[in-house]
């Protein structure tokens, strides 16, 4: 398949590009700094194109003839500043997809975006990290998910990952759940980015999680 990957210079995006190439896909990395991409995935046969998110018109030409769009975009914002990056960038991507008649989208989201008292996040995340550090990012990610639910013409899958770890891709099995977390996770608390990429790529041709937000984690095979 012909894939367009946003956020390809980030740790998860690099894994998506590497694994997609290994699977034989035609990959185009859409990045703001092409030189950085060349250093991260050297000597590979794939296209690198420079983009900006100033308007859908600036993105549209880069999505021509693509089958699937994958977004690994991330934002680093000061804890006291408003965050609109995820909704702003997703609206541009979706608009450009529509202009190119592309329906399939796989993007990265996160566990614990909402504070449901009946299914709360861990104590430290709920009362320390979200109020002081990640709350505004999580709020905008939740708004991004809500926006995608309203896009009836886009076959999206929002992959909700737990705490992200560094490490090589594994052969662990995936546990999934439609909701804010995976409860049956055998004590696992995080997931390596390489396995998040592996799961994202596995969903591209599947109907199971179309138009859904899916929490996922990798656990050892029994």
């Amino acid at each position: 398949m012909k894939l367009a990957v946003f956020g390809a210079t980030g740790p998860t995006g690099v894994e998506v590009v590497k694994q997609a190439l290994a699977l034989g896909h035609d990959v185009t990395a859409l990045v703001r700094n092409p030189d950085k991409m060349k250093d991260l995935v050297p000597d590979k046969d794939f296209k690198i194109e420079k983009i900006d998110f100033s308007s859908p018109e600036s993105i549209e030409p880069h999505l021509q003839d693509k089958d699937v769009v994958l977004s690994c975009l991330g934002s680093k914002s000061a804890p006291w500043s408003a965050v609109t990056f995820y909704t702003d960038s997703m609206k541009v991507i979706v608009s450009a997809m529509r202009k190119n008649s592309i329906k399939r989208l796989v993007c990265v989201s996160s566990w614990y975006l909402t504070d449901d008292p009946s299914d709360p996040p861990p104590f430290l995340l709920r009362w320390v990290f979200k109020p002081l550090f990640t709350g505004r990012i999580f709020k905008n990610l939740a708004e991004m998910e809500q926006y995608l639910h309203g896009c009836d013409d886009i076959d999206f899958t929002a992959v909700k990952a737990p705490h992200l770890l560094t490490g090589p891709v594994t052969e662990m099995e995936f546990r999934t759940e439609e909701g804010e977390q995976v409860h049956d996770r055998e004590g696992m608390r995080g997931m390596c980015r390489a396995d998040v990429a592996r799961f994202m790529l596995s969903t591209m041709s599947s109907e199971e999680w179309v138009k859904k937000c899916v929490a996922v984690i990798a656990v050892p095979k029994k």
Side-chain angles (χ1 to χ4, degrees), residues 24-160:
H25 295 295
D26 182 320
V27 178
T28 300
L30 303 177
V31 299
R32 286 167 287 189
N33 186 345
D35 291 335
K36 183 178 179 181
M37 189 75 236
K38 291 176 184 177
D39 293 337
L40 292 169
V41 188
D43 302 323
K44 295 291 184 181
D45 184 17
F46 71 108
K47 294 178 282 294
I48 305 172
E49 298 179 6
K50 185 176 182 178
I51 60 163
D52 66 74
F53 281 99
S54 58
S55 68
E57 290 76 21
S58 67
I59 300 297
E60 286 170 19
H62 301 283
L63 298 188
Q64 289 181 5
D65 301 320
K66 299 299 186 291
D67 300 308
V68 182
V69 172
L70 299 105
S71 175
C72 304
L73 291 169
S75 173
K76 293 181 180 179
S77 301
W80 55 85
S81 63
V83 177
T84 61
F85 172 79
Y86 294 99
T87 45
D88 291 346
S89 59
M90 188 55 68
K91 288 175 182 178
V92 170
I93 291 171
V94 167
S95 179
M97 288 176 64
R98 286 170 172 156
K99 291 290 186 179
N100 286 281
S101 300
I102 303 170
K103 295 179 66 68
R104 192 71 177 106
L105 167 69
V106 182
C107 65
V108 174
S109 188
S110 177
W111 286 21
Y112 303 127
L113 298 185
T114 61
D115 191 4
D116 182 353
S118 66
D119 190 18
F123 179 87
L124 284 177
L125 179 61
R126 187 181 190 188
W127 298 111
V128 179
F129 288 100
K130 286 185 73 171
L132 295 178
F133 303 107
T134 63
R136 289 173 174 81
I137 291 175
F138 280 20
K139 179 178 181 292
N140 194 228
L141 278 170
E143 292 167 345
M144 181 194 76
E145 290 185 0
Q146 291 170 3
Y147 167 74
L148 289 173
H149 278 298
C151 297
D152 294 335
D153 57 333
I154 301 297
D155 292 337
F156 76 91
T157 300
V159 176
K160 298 169 71 71

